[in-house]
PDB file of all heavy atoms in Angstrom:
ATOM      1  N   ASP A1472      25.943 -13.617  13.254  1.00  0.00           N
ATOM      2  CA  ASP A1472      24.982 -14.544  13.828  1.00  0.00           C
ATOM      3  C   ASP A1472      24.381 -13.924  15.080  1.00  0.00           C
ATOM      4  O   ASP A1472      24.927 -12.982  15.654  1.00  0.00           O
ATOM      5  CB  ASP A1472      25.673 -15.869  14.175  1.00  0.00           C
ATOM      6  CG  ASP A1472      24.670 -16.983  14.423  1.00  0.00           C
ATOM      7  OD1 ASP A1472      23.474 -16.749  14.190  1.00  0.00           O
ATOM      8  OD2 ASP A1472      25.092 -18.067  14.851  1.00  0.00           O
ATOM      9  N   ASP A1473      23.251 -14.473  15.522  1.00  0.00           N
ATOM     10  CA  ASP A1473      22.581 -13.915  16.693  1.00  0.00           C
ATOM     11  C   ASP A1473      22.624 -14.946  17.820  1.00  0.00           C
ATOM     12  O   ASP A1473      21.834 -15.866  17.849  1.00  0.00           O
ATOM     13  CB  ASP A1473      21.144 -13.510  16.363  1.00  0.00           C
ATOM     14  CG  ASP A1473      20.364 -14.606  15.662  1.00  0.00           C
ATOM     15  OD1 ASP A1473      21.003 -15.551  15.161  1.00  0.00           O
ATOM     16  OD2 ASP A1473      19.134 -14.539  15.625  1.00  0.00           O
ATOM     17  N   SER A1474      23.550 -14.766  18.714  1.00  0.00           N
ATOM     18  CA  SER A1474      23.702 -15.721  19.805  1.00  0.00           C
ATOM     19  C   SER A1474      22.764 -15.430  20.966  1.00  0.00           C
ATOM     20  O   SER A1474      22.521 -16.289  21.811  1.00  0.00           O
ATOM     21  CB  SER A1474      25.152 -15.705  20.315  1.00  0.00           C
ATOM     22  OG  SER A1474      25.514 -14.397  20.742  1.00  0.00           O
ATOM     23  N   LEU A1475      22.216 -14.209  21.018  1.00  0.00           N
ATOM     24  CA  LEU A1475      21.302 -13.871  22.105  1.00  0.00           C
ATOM     25  C   LEU A1475      19.977 -14.606  21.932  1.00  0.00           C
ATOM     26  O   LEU A1475      19.545 -14.883  20.822  1.00  0.00           O
ATOM     27  CB  LEU A1475      21.052 -12.360  22.133  1.00  0.00           C
ATOM     28  CG  LEU A1475      22.259 -11.485  22.480  1.00  0.00           C
ATOM     29  CD1 LEU A1475      21.894 -10.012  22.355  1.00  0.00           C
ATOM     30  CD2 LEU A1475      22.766 -11.781  23.877  1.00  0.00           C
ATOM     31  N   PRO A1476      19.302 -14.937  23.041  1.00  0.00           N
ATOM     32  CA  PRO A1476      18.020 -15.651  22.934  1.00  0.00           C
ATOM     33  C   PRO A1476      16.929 -14.768  22.346  1.00  0.00           C
ATOM     34  O   PRO A1476      17.069 -13.543  22.263  1.00  0.00           O
ATOM     35  CB  PRO A1476      17.710 -16.013  24.392  1.00  0.00           C
ATOM     36  CG  PRO A1476      18.434 -14.980  25.200  1.00  0.00           C
ATOM     37  CD  PRO A1476      19.689 -14.681  24.430  1.00  0.00           C
ATOM     38  N   ASP A1477      15.838 -15.419  21.949  1.00  0.00           N
ATOM     39  CA  ASP A1477      14.675 -14.708  21.429  1.00  0.00           C
ATOM     40  C   ASP A1477      13.919 -14.100  22.602  1.00  0.00           C
ATOM     41  O   ASP A1477      13.257 -14.800  23.365  1.00  0.00           O
ATOM     42  CB  ASP A1477      13.778 -15.684  20.668  1.00  0.00           C
ATOM     43  CG  ASP A1477      12.509 -15.034  20.130  1.00  0.00           C
ATOM     44  OD1 ASP A1477      12.400 -13.792  20.239  1.00  0.00           O
ATOM     45  OD2 ASP A1477      11.647 -15.760  19.619  1.00  0.00           O
ATOM     46  N   VAL A1478      14.035 -12.777  22.756  1.00  0.00           N
ATOM     47  CA  VAL A1478      13.354 -12.084  23.864  1.00  0.00           C
ATOM     48  C   VAL A1478      12.438 -10.997  23.301  1.00  0.00           C
ATOM     49  O   VAL A1478      12.263  -9.947  23.890  1.00  0.00           O
ATOM     50  CB  VAL A1478      14.358 -11.485  24.867  1.00  0.00           C
ATOM     51  CG1 VAL A1478      15.057 -12.579  25.632  1.00  0.00           C
ATOM     52  CG2 VAL A1478      15.381 -10.592  24.157  1.00  0.00           C
ATOM     53  N   GLY A1479      11.878 -11.250  22.148  1.00  0.00           N
ATOM     54  CA  GLY A1479      11.006 -10.273  21.507  1.00  0.00           C
ATOM     55  C   GLY A1479       9.545 -10.548  21.795  1.00  0.00           C
ATOM     56  O   GLY A1479       9.185 -11.045  22.856  1.00  0.00           O
ATOM     57  N   SER A1480       8.695 -10.242  20.847  1.00  0.00           N
ATOM     58  CA  SER A1480       7.250 -10.465  20.978  1.00  0.00           C
ATOM     59  C   SER A1480       6.605 -10.279  19.616  1.00  0.00           C
ATOM     60  O   SER A1480       7.223  -9.749  18.694  1.00  0.00           O
ATOM     61  CB  SER A1480       6.610  -9.464  21.959  1.00  0.00           C
ATOM     62  OG  SER A1480       7.014  -9.704  23.285  1.00  0.00           O
ATOM     63  N   ILE A1481       5.349 -10.694  19.507  1.00  0.00           N
ATOM     64  CA  ILE A1481       4.542 -10.339  18.351  1.00  0.00           C
ATOM     65  C   ILE A1481       3.089 -10.221  18.793  1.00  0.00           C
ATOM     66  O   ILE A1481       2.612 -11.004  19.616  1.00  0.00           O
ATOM     67  CB  ILE A1481       4.681 -11.363  17.203  1.00  0.00           C
ATOM     68  CG1 ILE A1481       3.852 -10.925  15.978  1.00  0.00           C
ATOM     69  CG2 ILE A1481       4.300 -12.764  17.646  1.00  0.00           C
ATOM     70  CD1 ILE A1481       4.126 -11.750  14.725  1.00  0.00           C
ATOM     71  N   VAL A1482       2.422  -9.208  18.263  1.00  0.00           N
ATOM     72  CA  VAL A1482       0.983  -9.063  18.428  1.00  0.00           C
ATOM     73  C   VAL A1482       0.354  -9.276  17.059  1.00  0.00           C
ATOM     74  O   VAL A1482       0.754  -8.643  16.077  1.00  0.00           O
ATOM     75  CB  VAL A1482       0.596  -7.675  18.973  1.00  0.00           C
ATOM     76  CG1 VAL A1482      -0.927  -7.547  19.064  1.00  0.00           C
ATOM     77  CG2 VAL A1482       1.240  -7.425  20.329  1.00  0.00           C
ATOM     78  N   VAL A1483      -0.616 -10.184  16.985  1.00  0.00           N
ATOM     79  CA  VAL A1483      -1.355 -10.442  15.756  1.00  0.00           C
ATOM     80  C   VAL A1483      -2.805 -10.029  15.986  1.00  0.00           C
ATOM     81  O   VAL A1483      -3.433 -10.469  16.956  1.00  0.00           O
ATOM     82  CB  VAL A1483      -1.306 -11.931  15.360  1.00  0.00           C
ATOM     83  CG1 VAL A1483      -2.086 -12.162  14.060  1.00  0.00           C
ATOM     84  CG2 VAL A1483       0.129 -12.408  15.221  1.00  0.00           C
ATOM     85  N   VAL A1484      -3.332  -9.177  15.110  1.00  0.00           N
ATOM     86  CA  VAL A1484      -4.745  -8.793  15.159  1.00  0.00           C
ATOM     87  C   VAL A1484      -5.415  -9.328  13.901  1.00  0.00           C
ATOM     88  O   VAL A1484      -4.992  -9.013  12.784  1.00  0.00           O
ATOM     89  CB  VAL A1484      -4.917  -7.258  15.246  1.00  0.00           C
ATOM     90  CG1 VAL A1484      -6.408  -6.900  15.278  1.00  0.00           C
ATOM     91  CG2 VAL A1484      -4.210  -6.715  16.477  1.00  0.00           C
ATOM     92  N   LEU A1485      -6.439 -10.153  14.084  1.00  0.00           N
ATOM     93  CA  LEU A1485      -7.198 -10.724  12.978  1.00  0.00           C
ATOM     94  C   LEU A1485      -8.587 -10.103  12.953  1.00  0.00           C
ATOM     95  O   LEU A1485      -9.243  -9.989  13.995  1.00  0.00           O
ATOM     96  CB  LEU A1485      -7.326 -12.237  13.136  1.00  0.00           C
ATOM     97  CG  LEU A1485      -6.022 -13.038  13.189  1.00  0.00           C
ATOM     98  CD1 LEU A1485      -6.328 -14.505  13.510  1.00  0.00           C
ATOM     99  CD2 LEU A1485      -5.253 -12.935  11.878  1.00  0.00           C
ATOM    100  N   ALA A1486      -9.031  -9.721  11.775  1.00  0.00           N
ATOM    101  CA  ALA A1486     -10.363  -9.133  11.611  1.00  0.00           C
ATOM    102  C   ALA A1486     -11.080  -9.835  10.478  1.00  0.00           C
ATOM    103  O   ALA A1486     -10.468 -10.193   9.469  1.00  0.00           O
ATOM    104  CB  ALA A1486     -10.255  -7.642  11.307  1.00  0.00           C
ATOM    105  N   THR A1487     -12.384 -10.021  10.628  1.00  0.00           N
ATOM    106  CA  THR A1487     -13.185 -10.610   9.559  1.00  0.00           C
ATOM    107  C   THR A1487     -14.592 -10.040   9.596  1.00  0.00           C
ATOM    108  O   THR A1487     -15.054  -9.548  10.635  1.00  0.00           O
ATOM    109  CB  THR A1487     -13.238 -12.145   9.671  1.00  0.00           C
ATOM    110  OG1 THR A1487     -13.940 -12.681   8.543  1.00  0.00           O
ATOM    111  CG2 THR A1487     -13.925 -12.586  10.957  1.00  0.00           C
ATOM    112  N   ASP A1488     -15.266 -10.101   8.440  1.00  0.00           N
ATOM    113  CA  ASP A1488     -16.672  -9.686   8.378  1.00  0.00           C
ATOM    114  C   ASP A1488     -17.615 -10.877   8.466  1.00  0.00           C
ATOM    115  O   ASP A1488     -18.831 -10.722   8.383  1.00  0.00           O
ATOM    116  CB  ASP A1488     -16.938  -8.886   7.104  1.00  0.00           C
ATOM    117  CG  ASP A1488     -16.515  -9.618   5.840  1.00  0.00           C
ATOM    118  OD1 ASP A1488     -16.224 -10.838   5.908  1.00  0.00           O
ATOM    119  OD2 ASP A1488     -16.463  -8.979   4.775  1.00  0.00           O
ATOM    120  N   VAL A1489     -17.088 -12.071   8.638  1.00  0.00           N
ATOM    121  CA  VAL A1489     -17.920 -13.262   8.789  1.00  0.00           C
ATOM    122  C   VAL A1489     -18.555 -13.252  10.180  1.00  0.00           C
ATOM    123  O   VAL A1489     -17.853 -13.039  11.183  1.00  0.00           O
ATOM    124  CB  VAL A1489     -17.093 -14.546   8.608  1.00  0.00           C
ATOM    125  CG1 VAL A1489     -17.970 -15.782   8.809  1.00  0.00           C
ATOM    126  CG2 VAL A1489     -16.432 -14.570   7.237  1.00  0.00           C
ATOM    127  N   PRO A1490     -19.861 -13.453  10.287  1.00  0.00           N
ATOM    128  CA  PRO A1490     -20.484 -13.497  11.614  1.00  0.00           C
ATOM    129  C   PRO A1490     -20.035 -14.740  12.379  1.00  0.00           C
ATOM    130  O   PRO A1490     -20.251 -15.866  11.934  1.00  0.00           O
ATOM    131  CB  PRO A1490     -21.986 -13.533  11.314  1.00  0.00           C
ATOM    132  CG  PRO A1490     -22.095 -14.036   9.922  1.00  0.00           C
ATOM    133  CD  PRO A1490     -20.861 -13.601   9.208  1.00  0.00           C
ATOM    134  N   LEU A1491     -19.404 -14.515  13.528  1.00  0.00           N
ATOM    135  CA  LEU A1491     -18.826 -15.597  14.317  1.00  0.00           C
ATOM    136  C   LEU A1491     -19.128 -15.386  15.793  1.00  0.00           C
ATOM    137  O   LEU A1491     -19.285 -14.253  16.249  1.00  0.00           O
ATOM    138  CB  LEU A1491     -17.302 -15.646  14.133  1.00  0.00           C
ATOM    139  CG  LEU A1491     -16.775 -15.855  12.714  1.00  0.00           C
ATOM    140  CD1 LEU A1491     -15.298 -15.533  12.663  1.00  0.00           C
ATOM    141  CD2 LEU A1491     -17.026 -17.287  12.257  1.00  0.00           C
ATOM    142  N   SER A1492     -19.153 -16.465  16.536  1.00  0.00           N
ATOM    143  CA  SER A1492     -19.234 -16.367  17.992  1.00  0.00           C
ATOM    144  C   SER A1492     -17.838 -16.109  18.546  1.00  0.00           C
ATOM    145  O   SER A1492     -16.826 -16.310  17.857  1.00  0.00           O
ATOM    146  CB  SER A1492     -19.799 -17.651  18.588  1.00  0.00           C
ATOM    147  OG  SER A1492     -18.857 -18.710  18.458  1.00  0.00           O
ATOM    148  N   GLU A1493     -17.777 -15.690  19.805  1.00  0.00           N
ATOM    149  CA  GLU A1493     -16.470 -15.475  20.419  1.00  0.00           C
ATOM    150  C   GLU A1493     -15.686 -16.782  20.522  1.00  0.00           C
ATOM    151  O   GLU A1493     -14.451 -16.787  20.442  1.00  0.00           O
ATOM    152  CB  GLU A1493     -16.613 -14.799  21.787  1.00  0.00           C
ATOM    153  CG  GLU A1493     -17.314 -15.612  22.851  1.00  0.00           C
ATOM    154  CD  GLU A1493     -18.822 -15.408  22.859  1.00  0.00           C
ATOM    155  OE1 GLU A1493     -19.444 -15.377  21.774  1.00  0.00           O
ATOM    156  OE2 GLU A1493     -19.380 -15.284  23.961  1.00  0.00           O
ATOM    157  N   ARG A1494     -16.381 -17.909  20.696  1.00  0.00           N
ATOM    158  CA  ARG A1494     -15.688 -19.198  20.734  1.00  0.00           C
ATOM    159  C   ARG A1494     -15.043 -19.499  19.390  1.00  0.00           C
ATOM    160  O   ARG A1494     -13.889 -19.953  19.324  1.00  0.00           O
ATOM    161  CB  ARG A1494     -16.676 -20.306  21.113  1.00  0.00           C
ATOM    162  CG  ARG A1494     -16.052 -21.705  21.128  1.00  0.00           C
ATOM    163  CD  ARG A1494     -17.105 -22.785  21.342  1.00  0.00           C
ATOM    164  NE  ARG A1494     -18.132 -22.736  20.311  1.00  0.00           N
ATOM    165  CZ  ARG A1494     -17.984 -23.220  19.086  1.00  0.00           C
ATOM    166  NH1 ARG A1494     -16.842 -23.767  18.713  1.00  0.00           N
ATOM    167  NH2 ARG A1494     -18.976 -23.150  18.220  1.00  0.00           N
ATOM    168  N   GLN A1495     -15.770 -19.247  18.299  1.00  0.00           N
ATOM    169  CA  GLN A1495     -15.208 -19.481  16.976  1.00  0.00           C
ATOM    170  C   GLN A1495     -14.036 -18.550  16.697  1.00  0.00           C
ATOM    171  O   GLN A1495     -13.033 -18.948  16.093  1.00  0.00           O
ATOM    172  CB  GLN A1495     -16.294 -19.307  15.918  1.00  0.00           C
ATOM    173  CG  GLN A1495     -17.364 -20.393  15.965  1.00  0.00           C
ATOM    174  CD  GLN A1495     -18.459 -20.170  14.947  1.00  0.00           C
ATOM    175  OE1 GLN A1495     -18.916 -19.040  14.735  1.00  0.00           O
ATOM    176  NE2 GLN A1495     -18.914 -21.248  14.303  1.00  0.00           N
ATOM    177  N   LEU A1496     -14.133 -17.299  17.152  1.00  0.00           N
ATOM    178  CA  LEU A1496     -13.017 -16.363  16.986  1.00  0.00           C
ATOM    179  C   LEU A1496     -11.792 -16.854  17.748  1.00  0.00           C
ATOM    180  O   LEU A1496     -10.648 -16.696  17.291  1.00  0.00           O
ATOM    181  CB  LEU A1496     -13.427 -14.972  17.476  1.00  0.00           C
ATOM    182  CG  LEU A1496     -14.344 -14.212  16.514  1.00  0.00           C
ATOM    183  CD1 LEU A1496     -15.041 -13.065  17.232  1.00  0.00           C
ATOM    184  CD2 LEU A1496     -13.552 -13.687  15.313  1.00  0.00           C
TER     185      LEU A1496
END
Side-chain angles (χ1 to χ4, degrees):
D1472 195 7
D1473 50 344
S1474 58
L1475 294 175
D1477 178 7
V1478 290
S1480 291
I1481 182 170
V1482 177
V1483 180
V1484 179
L1485 300 173
T1487 185
D1488 54 12
V1489 178
L1491 301 166
S1492 70
E1493 65 271 43
R1494 178 187 58 79
Q1495 292 178 319
L1496 284 162

